[in-house]
Amino acid sequence: MTSTHAFWLAGRQATGESAFDVTSPWDGRLVGRVSEPTEAQVEEAVAAAHAVRDSFAATPAHVRAAALDHVSKRLVERTEEIAQLISAENGKPVKWARGEVGRAVSVFRFAAEEARRFNGGEAQRLDTDAGGQGRLALTRRFPKGVVLGIAPFNFPLNLCAHKIAPAIAAGVPIILKPAPATPLSGLLIGELLAETELPAGSWSILPVANDRMPALVQDERLPVISFTGSEQVGYAIMDSVPRKHCTLELGGNGAAVVLADYASDEDLDWAATRIATFSNYQGGQSCISVQRVIADASVYDRLVPRIVAAVEAQVTGDPADSTTDVGPLVSEAAAQRVESWVDEAAAAGATVLTGGKRDGASYAPTVLADVPAGATVACEEVFGPVLLVRKVHGEAEAFAAVNDSKYGLQAGVFTHDVQTAFRAHRALEVGGVIVGDVPSYRADQMPYGGAKQSGVGREGVRFAMDDYTYERVLVLTGLAL
């Protein structure tokens, strides 16, 4: 009989009066049963975080850094166990789950490093004008208040890490709500945090149902919201609390541009392999997966067959098998949605070059050509293993095609020309331009976020710490500068 997983209330384990099942999207088996907090327990967690906010902000840097270092090291020690857990609850192939654990290891390590150097202060002489003679300004950062972190299902460990680690590093209490479909990985972070000396109340991990989220969002004791998820939910949150600080990491429609100078056989093989891999990794359930390929006419006819062959070489099947590249989507309903979008495009004239078939929660890696501009799969984030290919003539048309989207998260540009790289950086309306690779590249210490409907604010450890805090200036008077 499967035991029930406790949640983490103000740093300690607790159970509620009800529980829910977490099942595998691959075979439907029970992965775990999770206790759900009562309303009184949620209130206790929020009250504890609010009460400890000043004392936690004053916690010595070495205490916070040591806790973060501890979590990083413990993740390393338990890598295989955690990877298997991610794969079971999410359906992610275990090879990608191992990579996710490795990224979370880095996030906590980066946060430990930032905790040690954060808030050293910046001094500014004010005697540049006569009225400032003898005056010095010292600027430091202080918490805006308790953070409500809302994490998605697609990276159930690492995107929880991206909420928790920066908060602890900055001395900011956090209430984390993991995704109901994949709460076990986030709860495991709680196990590791509980082994540290962080003060009680500074963190809670509460697996509450999505319909209970609005009450947390509206709570005035949670003035900062860090949300990763869909565009519709993210902007609904922001609209409902216009006076709160919201960081929103939302959807994308990632484009990979292959320009005319990227033309050797070696170039095209590399581009095709990267495109095929990162249109299908995580089952395409990544905001920066490759959804669109925009190729110059001079390379299009040589590139597309390579992409199709590389996509067909992706190994699909059991996510627990280390050879599997593409597993199921998070649910059968998600796969049915992808199926309906592809079928709609095909009925409107798109050509299915490969794939286009569903089996339960799994959807075959798919490549589409000649997709009408108004098709849903062209306009919206597909969040599945589907790739659109398009022919353009020249750099200007390629960049315009990238920008012809309501989303603007990241874009990849395959070129060898540094001047082209800088033109892309200026022209493309996205949060990140990746040159020589797909838009799916993300280093966890770099600023990450989007433009247009892809959200507001930036993640990446140091940048999230800045988002969770504000500048406060101290002016000293009568100094001999």
Side-chain angles (χ1 to χ4, degrees):
M1 183 173 179
T2 302
S3 61
T4 299
H5 293 262
F7 53 85
W8 295 93
L9 194 167
R12 71 179 193 279
Q13 282 191 312
T15 55
E17 298 171 354
S18 62
F20 61 92
D21 292 340
V22 178
T23 58
S24 166
W26 169 247
D27 56 14
R29 67 184 171 89
L30 181 65
V31 179
R33 188 162 175 77
V34 175
S35 184
E36 186 172 3
T38 65
E39 295 297 334
Q41 288 170 322
V42 171
E43 166 59 28
E44 183 181 348
V46 174
H50 184 72
V52 80
R53 66 195 190 283
D54 290 337
S55 59
F56 189 42
T59 302
H62 72 86
V63 173
R64 288 178 276 115
L68 293 161
D69 272 330
H70 174 83
V71 175
S72 181
K73 292 171 183 175
R74 293 285 283 135
L75 288 170
V76 172
E77 293 169 0
R78 297 177 65 176
T79 291
E80 189 59 27
E81 170 201 348
I82 299 169
Q84 296 290 343
L85 177 64
I86 292 170
S87 182
E89 70 171 342
N90 172 275
K92 180 177 300 192
V94 72
K95 64 188 289 185
W96 293 113
R98 292 183 183 116
E100 181 175 348
V101 179
R103 289 181 61 186
V105 168
S106 295
V107 168
F108 278 96
R109 187 181 74 249
F110 295 149
E113 295 165 357
E114 292 293 350
R116 292 185 174 96
R117 58 177 168 250
F118 184 68
N119 223 2
E122 179 182 342
Q124 180 183 15
R125 293 180 66 133
L126 301 180
D127 61 353
T128 49
D129 281 329
Q133 188 167 333
R135 297 180 187 267
L136 182 78
L138 179 66
T139 303
R140 293 192 294 158
R141 302 192 71 89
F142 293 86
K144 293 172 180 172
V146 182
V147 173
L148 171 61
I150 305 170
F153 71 82
N154 57 330
F155 288 86
L157 181 76
N158 195 41
L159 292 184
C160 288
H162 268 287
K163 310 297 183 190
I164 293 172
I168 292 171
V172 181
I174 182 166
I175 306 289
L176 179 81
K177 179 199 172 301
T182 57
L184 299 174
S185 301
L187 291 172
L188 192 142
I189 293 176
E191 289 183 35
L192 308 184
L193 288 172
E195 297 170 354
T196 73
E197 297 181 3
L198 291 173
S202 60
W203 61 273
S204 292
I205 301 176
L206 305 179
V208 298
N210 286 339
D211 61 6
R212 296 174 63 190
M213 187 170 67
L216 281 168
V217 167
Q218 293 292 332
D219 196 306
E220 293 183 357
R221 294 166 296 177
L222 306 174
V224 179
I225 299 172
S226 178
F227 171 85
T228 302
S230 72
E231 168 197 359
Q232 293 81 5
V233 175
Y235 284 115
I237 289 172
M238 177 176 278
D239 290 344
S240 73
V241 285
R243 290 179 175 82
K244 288 195 178 189
H245 178 90
C246 295
T247 297
L248 305 179
E249 300 297 339
L250 307 178
N253 189 344
V257 176
V258 184
L259 294 175
D261 71 301
Y262 217 81
S264 72
D265 287 340
E266 183 181 8
D267 286 342
L268 296 179
D269 287 343
W270 163 257
T273 299
R274 298 293 284 177
I275 287 166
T277 298
F278 289 97
S279 63
N280 294 292
Y281 85 128
Q282 330 286 343
Q285 297 170 122
S286 168
C287 296
I288 47 176
S289 66
V290 186
Q291 185 170 330
R292 297 180 290 157
V293 174
I294 298 164
D296 189 84
S298 64
V299 298
Y300 182 89
D301 290 338
R302 295 167 57 215
L303 174 66
V304 171
R306 285 173 160 88
I307 291 175
V308 171
V311 167
E312 291 177 342
Q314 295 285 300
V315 177
T316 61
D318 186 348
D321 187 332
S322 291
T323 65
T324 297
D325 299 309
V326 186
L329 275 69
V330 72
S331 66
E332 185 167 1
Q336 288 171 338
R337 177 189 54 77
V338 172
E339 178 183 42
S340 70
W341 288 11
V342 172
D343 290 350
E344 175 197 58
T351 302
V352 181
L353 300 180
T354 190
K357 303 294 183 183
R358 180 180 67 83
D359 180 9
S362 296
Y363 196 81
T366 298
V367 181
L368 303 177
D370 310 312
V371 179
T376 305
V377 75
C379 302
E380 300 295 334
E381 179 182 40
V382 67
F383 227 58
V386 178
L387 180 65
L388 286 59
V389 294
R390 174 180 174 181
K391 182 189 297 184
V392 294
H393 296 83
E395 175 189 307
E397 186 178 344
F399 291 172
V402 174
N403 289 339
D404 186 21
S405 171
K406 65 180 180 179
Y407 298 111
L409 194 46
Q410 293 198 159
V413 180
F414 288 89
T415 182
H416 296 295
D417 188 277
V418 69
Q419 296 287 359
T420 301
F422 274 89
R423 286 196 296 272
H425 197 207
R426 179 179 294 276
L428 297 181
E429 298 166 352
V430 294
V433 178
I434 314 300
V435 175
D437 207 348
V438 291
S440 317
Y441 176 80
R442 178 184 179 184
D444 291 286
Q445 72 271 38
M446 77 184 195
Y448 174 77
K452 300 192 285 189
Q453 298 301 302
S454 287
V456 294
R458 291 295 180 267
E459 288 198 336
V461 175
R462 176 55 197 260
F463 305 93
M465 292 168 71
D466 285 346
D467 244 11
Y468 295 168
T469 57
Y470 70 98
E471 293 174 316
R472 185 187 298 168
V473 65
L474 173 71
V475 176
L476 302 174
T477 304
L479 301 180
L481 298 176

